[in-house]
Amino acid sequence: MEKLISFGIESTSHTFSVGICENERILANEKSAYQPKKGKGIIPREASEHHTRVAAETIENALKKANLKMKDVDIISIAIGPGLPPCLRVGAILARFLSSKYGKPLVPVNHCIAHIEIGKLTTGSKNPVILYLSGGNTQVIAFTEGKYRIFGETEDVPVGNAIDTLAREIGLQPPYGPTFDKTAEKGRYIEFPYVVKGMDLSFTGIVTDAIKKFKSGSAQEDVCYSFQETCFAMLTEVCERALAHTDKKEVLLVGGVAASKRMQEMVRIMCEERGAKMFVVPWEYAGDCGINIAWTGLLAYNSGISMNIEKSKIRQKWRTDEAEISWIK
Ligand code: FE2
């Protein structure tokens, strides 16, 4: 592969981040996350204001880390969706500006696909069933017939969002993921509804039930433990069926919730039973970050994908299975 430097911008949700890679080599991955007010969820307008505020400094830091100037960059990769429109717009405007000012090609990247591709790059997984679990998305994905197809997904809220909501309601401290995991370690099992419909999942009913149980006296740790056991078992079940259906031999966990030790343990046991191998994206690339976008943009550009600046638009609801994947043969 000819040497190519990709500059990636991520701004789809709470995180503004800039990553730079030269082919497979990661040169920088600077990020700054918006923190909602205590006890509150993300407010898109506030998040976009945060992104605007930190953009210049984050870009500068990334270039410094990579020891590069903007003119050394070959392509500008930008996550144009899916995501929150006010946040997407900040990144898109910046990317258009940099692309036209420095005369660099603009490459559109799907945020979800970027989670998958950085997972493959950093773990060595080649052809996995992907469990993509985050605060913004919950999907079971596999590459078949030219696309990353969704085999199962949440019908309502993403699992990471369900965990955050429940954590807030029962008075845990942020960051909710790790605190939830820790609290669950000491819990005992109480029964929660188990909601798998075909290959799809639903979490809101379980959250409501869990809050009700907490309010009527169940202990924090029992609620966390049982919620995890139920939701993670649901995800593992759907993942196992996708594995059986596609006949693949690898499972790749990506997204913030991939960091949960219990989630990993359940998938590992399932994989061992099926003779499959489990891969987990390293923690630093599990959440939203610019390097995911830079690397996926590089793959896309090398296989002929770029975008006209005048026609560049954000795609708020751009689904995983709608993205063109010309780099996998
Ligand atoms: Fe994400």
PDB file of all heavy atoms in Angstrom, residues 10 12-14 82 111-112 114-115 132-137 254-256 286-289 292, ligand 1:
ATOM      1  N   GLU A  10     -14.255  12.925  14.568  1.00  0.00           N
ATOM      2  CA  GLU A  10     -15.435  12.294  15.165  1.00  0.00           C
ATOM      3  C   GLU A  10     -16.174  13.340  15.999  1.00  0.00           C
ATOM      4  O   GLU A  10     -15.572  13.972  16.875  1.00  0.00           O
ATOM      5  CB  GLU A  10     -14.979  11.130  16.054  1.00  0.00           C
ATOM      6  CG  GLU A  10     -15.955  10.711  17.148  1.00  0.00           C
ATOM      7  CD  GLU A  10     -17.254  10.136  16.620  1.00  0.00           C
ATOM      8  OE1 GLU A  10     -17.223   9.349  15.652  1.00  0.00           O
ATOM      9  OE2 GLU A  10     -18.310  10.498  17.169  1.00  0.00           O
ATOM     10  N   THR A  12     -20.005  12.759  16.396  1.00  0.00           N
ATOM     11  CA  THR A  12     -21.394  12.324  16.218  1.00  0.00           C
ATOM     12  C   THR A  12     -22.254  12.462  17.477  1.00  0.00           C
ATOM     13  O   THR A  12     -23.463  12.582  17.391  1.00  0.00           O
ATOM     14  CB  THR A  12     -21.459  10.859  15.749  1.00  0.00           C
ATOM     15  OG1 THR A  12     -20.859  10.050  16.760  1.00  0.00           O
ATOM     16  CG2 THR A  12     -20.731  10.656  14.440  1.00  0.00           C
ATOM     17  N   SER A  13     -21.616  12.397  18.662  1.00  0.00           N
ATOM     18  CA  SER A  13     -22.406  12.397  19.892  1.00  0.00           C
ATOM     19  C   SER A  13     -21.712  13.229  20.981  1.00  0.00           C
ATOM     20  O   SER A  13     -21.452  14.398  20.773  1.00  0.00           O
ATOM     21  CB  SER A  13     -22.637  10.946  20.319  1.00  0.00           C
ATOM     22  OG  SER A  13     -23.359  10.896  21.504  1.00  0.00           O
ATOM     23  N   HIS A  14     -21.362  12.597  22.115  1.00  0.00           N
ATOM     24  CA  HIS A  14     -20.790  13.362  23.231  1.00  0.00           C
ATOM     25  C   HIS A  14     -19.313  13.691  23.063  1.00  0.00           C
ATOM     26  O   HIS A  14     -18.774  14.535  23.767  1.00  0.00           O
ATOM     27  CB  HIS A  14     -20.989  12.601  24.541  1.00  0.00           C
ATOM     28  CG  HIS A  14     -20.703  11.142  24.401  1.00  0.00           C
ATOM     29  ND1 HIS A  14     -19.453  10.653  24.077  1.00  0.00           N
ATOM     30  CD2 HIS A  14     -21.533  10.074  24.461  1.00  0.00           C
ATOM     31  CE1 HIS A  14     -19.524   9.345  23.987  1.00  0.00           C
ATOM     32  NE2 HIS A  14     -20.761   8.966  24.202  1.00  0.00           N
ATOM     33  N   PRO A  82     -24.235   7.665  11.702  1.00  0.00           N
ATOM     34  CA  PRO A  82     -25.416   8.270  12.314  1.00  0.00           C
ATOM     35  C   PRO A  82     -25.022   9.042  13.572  1.00  0.00           C
ATOM     36  O   PRO A  82     -23.968   8.801  14.129  1.00  0.00           O
ATOM     37  CB  PRO A  82     -26.265   7.051  12.662  1.00  0.00           C
ATOM     38  CG  PRO A  82     -25.283   5.952  12.904  1.00  0.00           C
ATOM     39  CD  PRO A  82     -24.141   6.227  11.980  1.00  0.00           C
ATOM     40  N   HIS A 111     -20.104   6.039  11.234  1.00  0.00           N
ATOM     41  CA  HIS A 111     -19.602   5.918  12.609  1.00  0.00           C
ATOM     42  C   HIS A 111     -19.590   4.462  13.106  1.00  0.00           C
ATOM     43  O   HIS A 111     -18.639   4.023  13.762  1.00  0.00           O
ATOM     44  CB  HIS A 111     -20.495   6.789  13.506  1.00  0.00           C
ATOM     45  CG  HIS A 111     -20.212   6.665  14.954  1.00  0.00           C
ATOM     46  ND1 HIS A 111     -19.293   7.454  15.597  1.00  0.00           N
ATOM     47  CD2 HIS A 111     -20.708   5.823  15.902  1.00  0.00           C
ATOM     48  CE1 HIS A 111     -19.245   7.116  16.876  1.00  0.00           C
ATOM     49  NE2 HIS A 111     -20.094   6.127  17.091  1.00  0.00           N
ATOM     50  N   CYS A 112     -20.636   3.718  12.805  1.00  0.00           N
ATOM     51  CA  CYS A 112     -20.737   2.329  13.292  1.00  0.00           C
ATOM     52  C   CYS A 112     -19.695   1.440  12.622  1.00  0.00           C
ATOM     53  O   CYS A 112     -19.046   0.619  13.275  1.00  0.00           O
ATOM     54  CB  CYS A 112     -22.140   1.773  13.031  1.00  0.00           C
ATOM     55  SG  CYS A 112     -23.449   2.832  13.638  1.00  0.00           S
ATOM     56  N   ALA A 114     -16.930   2.384  11.524  1.00  0.00           N
ATOM     57  CA  ALA A 114     -15.617   2.771  12.051  1.00  0.00           C
ATOM     58  C   ALA A 114     -15.303   2.031  13.358  1.00  0.00           C
ATOM     59  O   ALA A 114     -14.162   1.648  13.596  1.00  0.00           O
ATOM     60  CB  ALA A 114     -15.566   4.285  12.269  1.00  0.00           C
ATOM     61  N   HIS A 115     -16.328   1.807  14.199  1.00  0.00           N
ATOM     62  CA  HIS A 115     -16.113   1.011  15.415  1.00  0.00           C
ATOM     63  C   HIS A 115     -15.654  -0.402  15.027  1.00  0.00           C
ATOM     64  O   HIS A 115     -14.790  -0.985  15.679  1.00  0.00           O
ATOM     65  CB  HIS A 115     -17.419   0.898  16.214  1.00  0.00           C
ATOM     66  CG  HIS A 115     -17.664   2.039  17.154  1.00  0.00           C
ATOM     67  ND1 HIS A 115     -16.926   2.227  18.303  1.00  0.00           N
ATOM     68  CD2 HIS A 115     -18.572   3.050  17.130  1.00  0.00           C
ATOM     69  CE1 HIS A 115     -17.376   3.306  18.949  1.00  0.00           C
ATOM     70  NE2 HIS A 115     -18.373   3.821  18.249  1.00  0.00           N
ATOM     71  N   TYR A 132     -21.785  -4.956  18.622  1.00  0.00           N
ATOM     72  CA  TYR A 132     -21.503  -3.525  18.736  1.00  0.00           C
ATOM     73  C   TYR A 132     -22.411  -2.950  19.807  1.00  0.00           C
ATOM     74  O   TYR A 132     -23.613  -2.804  19.602  1.00  0.00           O
ATOM     75  CB  TYR A 132     -21.739  -2.889  17.357  1.00  0.00           C
ATOM     76  CG  TYR A 132     -21.732  -1.388  17.318  1.00  0.00           C
ATOM     77  CD1 TYR A 132     -21.018  -0.624  18.225  1.00  0.00           C
ATOM     78  CD2 TYR A 132     -22.437  -0.720  16.327  1.00  0.00           C
ATOM     79  CE1 TYR A 132     -21.017   0.761  18.162  1.00  0.00           C
ATOM     80  CE2 TYR A 132     -22.444   0.655  16.239  1.00  0.00           C
ATOM     81  CZ  TYR A 132     -21.733   1.394  17.168  1.00  0.00           C
ATOM     82  OH  TYR A 132     -21.744   2.762  17.094  1.00  0.00           O
ATOM     83  N   LEU A 133     -21.820  -2.679  20.974  1.00  0.00           N
ATOM     84  CA  LEU A 133     -22.602  -2.302  22.150  1.00  0.00           C
ATOM     85  C   LEU A 133     -22.112  -0.986  22.699  1.00  0.00           C
ATOM     86  O   LEU A 133     -20.985  -0.885  23.169  1.00  0.00           O
ATOM     87  CB  LEU A 133     -22.440  -3.372  23.243  1.00  0.00           C
ATOM     88  CG  LEU A 133     -22.627  -4.827  22.800  1.00  0.00           C
ATOM     89  CD1 LEU A 133     -22.286  -5.758  23.942  1.00  0.00           C
ATOM     90  CD2 LEU A 133     -24.041  -5.067  22.302  1.00  0.00           C
ATOM     91  N   SER A 134     -22.982   0.041  22.625  1.00  0.00           N
ATOM     92  CA  SER A 134     -22.559   1.344  23.140  1.00  0.00           C
ATOM     93  C   SER A 134     -23.753   2.095  23.676  1.00  0.00           C
ATOM     94  O   SER A 134     -24.866   1.565  23.734  1.00  0.00           O
ATOM     95  CB  SER A 134     -21.883   2.129  22.022  1.00  0.00           C
ATOM     96  OG  SER A 134     -22.851   2.581  21.107  1.00  0.00           O
ATOM     97  N   GLY A 135     -23.513   3.359  24.045  1.00  0.00           N
ATOM     98  CA  GLY A 135     -24.602   4.190  24.532  1.00  0.00           C
ATOM     99  C   GLY A 135     -25.511   4.647  23.404  1.00  0.00           C
ATOM    100  O   GLY A 135     -26.650   5.039  23.617  1.00  0.00           O
ATOM    101  N   GLY A 136     -25.008   4.587  22.163  1.00  0.00           N
ATOM    102  CA  GLY A 136     -25.786   5.060  21.029  1.00  0.00           C
ATOM    103  C   GLY A 136     -26.326   3.956  20.132  1.00  0.00           C
ATOM    104  O   GLY A 136     -27.254   4.180  19.351  1.00  0.00           O
ATOM    105  N   ASN A 137     -25.729   2.762  20.219  1.00  0.00           N
ATOM    106  CA  ASN A 137     -26.112   1.678  19.313  1.00  0.00           C
ATOM    107  C   ASN A 137     -26.008   0.306  19.971  1.00  0.00           C
ATOM    108  O   ASN A 137     -25.154   0.098  20.822  1.00  0.00           O
ATOM    109  CB  ASN A 137     -25.199   1.662  18.075  1.00  0.00           C
ATOM    110  CG  ASN A 137     -25.370   2.913  17.225  1.00  0.00           C
ATOM    111  OD1 ASN A 137     -26.302   3.029  16.445  1.00  0.00           O
ATOM    112  ND2 ASN A 137     -24.480   3.868  17.420  1.00  0.00           N
ATOM    113  N   VAL A 254     -17.147  -4.615  20.162  1.00  0.00           N
ATOM    114  CA  VAL A 254     -16.743  -3.211  20.008  1.00  0.00           C
ATOM    115  C   VAL A 254     -17.754  -2.283  20.679  1.00  0.00           C
ATOM    116  O   VAL A 254     -18.868  -2.694  20.989  1.00  0.00           O
ATOM    117  CB  VAL A 254     -16.570  -2.800  18.512  1.00  0.00           C
ATOM    118  CG1 VAL A 254     -15.505  -3.647  17.838  1.00  0.00           C
ATOM    119  CG2 VAL A 254     -17.885  -2.873  17.747  1.00  0.00           C
ATOM    120  N   GLY A 255     -17.357  -1.021  20.880  1.00  0.00           N
ATOM    121  CA  GLY A 255     -18.217  -0.050  21.557  1.00  0.00           C
ATOM    122  C   GLY A 255     -17.924  -0.043  23.052  1.00  0.00           C
ATOM    123  O   GLY A 255     -17.300  -0.978  23.575  1.00  0.00           O
ATOM    124  N   GLY A 256     -18.359   1.002  23.733  1.00  0.00           N
ATOM    125  CA  GLY A 256     -18.033   1.201  25.142  1.00  0.00           C
ATOM    126  C   GLY A 256     -18.392   0.038  26.057  1.00  0.00           C
ATOM    127  O   GLY A 256     -17.643  -0.291  26.976  1.00  0.00           O
ATOM    128  N   ALA A 286     -12.393   1.767  22.293  1.00  0.00           N
ATOM    129  CA  ALA A 286     -13.742   1.217  22.433  1.00  0.00           C
ATOM    130  C   ALA A 286     -14.797   2.313  22.296  1.00  0.00           C
ATOM    131  O   ALA A 286     -15.831   2.117  21.667  1.00  0.00           O
ATOM    132  CB  ALA A 286     -13.883   0.517  23.778  1.00  0.00           C
ATOM    133  N   GLY A 287     -14.525   3.458  22.859  1.00  0.00           N
ATOM    134  CA  GLY A 287     -15.479   4.563  22.778  1.00  0.00           C
ATOM    135  C   GLY A 287     -15.339   5.285  21.450  1.00  0.00           C
ATOM    136  O   GLY A 287     -14.601   4.856  20.556  1.00  0.00           O
ATOM    137  N   ASP A 288     -16.063   6.397  21.329  1.00  0.00           N
ATOM    138  CA  ASP A 288     -15.994   7.170  20.091  1.00  0.00           C
ATOM    139  C   ASP A 288     -14.642   7.848  19.995  1.00  0.00           C
ATOM    140  O   ASP A 288     -14.241   8.545  20.924  1.00  0.00           O
ATOM    141  CB  ASP A 288     -17.091   8.239  20.096  1.00  0.00           C
ATOM    142  CG  ASP A 288     -18.464   7.612  20.044  1.00  0.00           C
ATOM    143  OD1 ASP A 288     -18.549   6.379  19.873  1.00  0.00           O
ATOM    144  OD2 ASP A 288     -19.455   8.357  20.161  1.00  0.00           O
ATOM    145  N   CYS A 289     -13.941   7.667  18.887  1.00  0.00           N
ATOM    146  CA  CYS A 289     -12.709   8.424  18.722  1.00  0.00           C
ATOM    147  C   CYS A 289     -12.325   8.641  17.266  1.00  0.00           C
ATOM    148  O   CYS A 289     -12.743   7.910  16.368  1.00  0.00           O
ATOM    149  CB  CYS A 289     -11.559   7.862  19.540  1.00  0.00           C
ATOM    150  SG  CYS A 289     -11.271   6.132  19.400  1.00  0.00           S
ATOM    151  N   ASN A 292     -10.788   5.912  14.852  1.00  0.00           N
ATOM    152  CA  ASN A 292     -11.737   4.999  14.189  1.00  0.00           C
ATOM    153  C   ASN A 292     -12.091   5.552  12.804  1.00  0.00           C
ATOM    154  O   ASN A 292     -12.151   4.812  11.807  1.00  0.00           O
ATOM    155  CB  ASN A 292     -13.055   4.901  14.968  1.00  0.00           C
ATOM    156  CG  ASN A 292     -12.881   4.421  16.393  1.00  0.00           C
ATOM    157  OD1 ASN A 292     -11.763   4.273  16.851  1.00  0.00           O
ATOM    158  ND2 ASN A 292     -13.983   4.183  17.073  1.00  0.00           N
TER     159      ASN A 292
HETATM  160 FE   FE2 B   1     -20.016   5.135  18.933  1.00  0.00          FE
END
